[in-house]
Amino acid sequence: MPKWFVALFAFLFGAAVGSFVNVCIYRLPRKLSIVKPPSHCPHCGTTLTAFDLVPLLSYLWLGGKCRYCKTPISPRYFLVELLTAMLFVAAVDRYSLSLEAVLVSISLAALVVIAFVDWEFFLVPDEAVWALGILGFFKHVILISNPHGILISLGGAVLGGTVIWLIGILGRLVFRKEAMGFGDVKIAAAVGAHLGATWLMLPFLLFSIFVGAVMGVLLALLQRRSLTGYIPFGPAMAIAATIVFLAPPSVINFVLQLYGISR
Ligand SMILES: [Zn+2]
């Protein structure tokens, strides 16, 4: 199959999944069912038709407005569909057309849900965390030909959760305020189920701290939130996990070698 065809298929599939990601971002933190009722305009309540729900295109041809009440639709809907589509293309580029690419793609979609919900609501949706963790577990049991796959995956979940939990305790002692929430522990455990109790946890933690610090400084510069205030560590971990899932092995090995670890 030509590479461009695989990429196009991944893009279209990713955009469709991105549509569902948008539903999850809106409904999970509001404790609404993600299957019913069917999609409707949150402003006028009109049930949307297939014409209004074509990923990416509907937003463009409706000019970013509800077709019925003309209320502007957040550009986030378009951006999330585009982002998910691009992540799916990146996943088939990294893992080619394989079951692993599918598992990683859906995991990346779960990370998008986690990042956006945590960013906006400061809470971590359990459904998305469970989906992420279970997909990581399956990856080890089905795809990675190691008889101890189950233990490696469960060990990774325990390791990831424990490290973030300990960093949280340390942060509380040093800064005398809540540094990590339990939501952060859950995200780290779910990512850990993917990475396993392996050295891959190191680049994940390093990237998380780096991305978190960069986001904290940017937010302070933009004066959206003070530097001493809340740093969105959940979104930082989601971005770090995305990088580790998609980075070529050479990049990961380079980071490990900086710490004297060779695989
Ligand atoms: Zn409307």
Side-chain angles (χ1 to χ4, degrees):
M1 225 183 297
K3 223 176 167 187
W4 67 264
F5 184 79
V6 174
L8 179 69
F9 176 77
F11 187 88
L12 296 176
F13 185 52
V17 173
S19 239
F20 181 64
V21 166
N22 272 320
V23 171
C24 293
I25 292 171
Y26 184 83
R27 295 192 185 186
L28 290 180
R30 293 175 174 86
K31 304 275 174 242
L32 302 170
S33 160
I34 52 170
V35 285
K36 59 183 183 179
S39 291
H40 52 272
C41 168
H43 189 74
C44 65
T46 311
T47 299
L48 303 177
T49 64
F51 181 79
D52 306 305
L53 292 169
V54 183
L56 295 170
L57 296 180
S58 283
Y59 187 87
L60 294 177
W61 68 49
L62 296 173
K65 292 191 185 87
C66 169
R67 188 149 63 98
Y68 310 96
C69 69
K70 306 291 175 207
T71 302
I73 304 164
S74 165
R76 190 194 73 205
Y77 286 87
F78 182 82
L79 289 175
V80 163
E81 284 166 359
L82 186 61
L83 174 65
T84 311
M86 286 175 8
L87 288 172
F88 276 44
V89 173
V92 288
D93 186 54
R94 170 71 176 76
Y95 298 98
S96 47
L97 197 55
S98 61
L99 184 57
E100 187 166 20
V102 176
L103 290 182
V104 169
S105 296
I106 306 294
S107 303
L108 293 171
L111 284 167
V112 174
V113 174
I114 290 168
F116 276 83
V117 171
D118 194 20
W119 176 263
E120 192 177 349
F121 295 89
F122 305 148
L123 69 85
V124 176
D126 282 333
E127 296 86 343
V129 170
W130 274 111
L132 180 62
I134 289 168
L135 287 165
F137 184 72
F138 272 135
K139 204 172 79 184
H140 281 272
V141 174
I142 303 169
L143 291 176
I144 299 172
S145 52
N146 184 322
H148 306 301
I150 292 174
L151 287 177
I152 292 170
S153 179
L154 290 177
V158 172
L159 180 65
T162 307
V163 168
I164 294 300
W165 180 63
L166 289 175
I167 291 177
I169 291 177
L170 194 69
R172 212 172 322 162
L173 290 173
V174 174
F175 300 111
R176 302 208 165 273
K177 65 188 179 73
E178 206 60 40
M180 298 284 172
F182 190 61
D184 295 324
V185 172
K186 289 191 287 189
I187 298 171
V191 174
H194 273 268
L195 304 180
T198 67
W199 282 114
L200 283 175
M201 292 301 283
L202 183 69
F204 165 63
L205 292 168
L206 291 171
F207 291 154
S208 296
I209 292 165
F210 178 74
V211 174
V214 169
M215 284 169 89
V217 170
L218 284 178
L219 286 172
L221 288 176
L222 296 169
Q223 300 197 322
R224 292 273 307 276
R225 293 165 190 170
S226 74
L227 193 57
T228 53
Y230 170 83
I231 291 173
F233 202 64
M237 278 193 290
I239 293 170
T242 302
I243 296 171
V244 175
F245 288 174
L246 293 176
S250 57
V251 171
I252 301 295
N253 287 336
F254 174 75
V255 174
L256 290 174
Q257 276 162 16
L258 292 177
Y259 289 82
I261 299 154
S262 59
R263 283 197 295 162

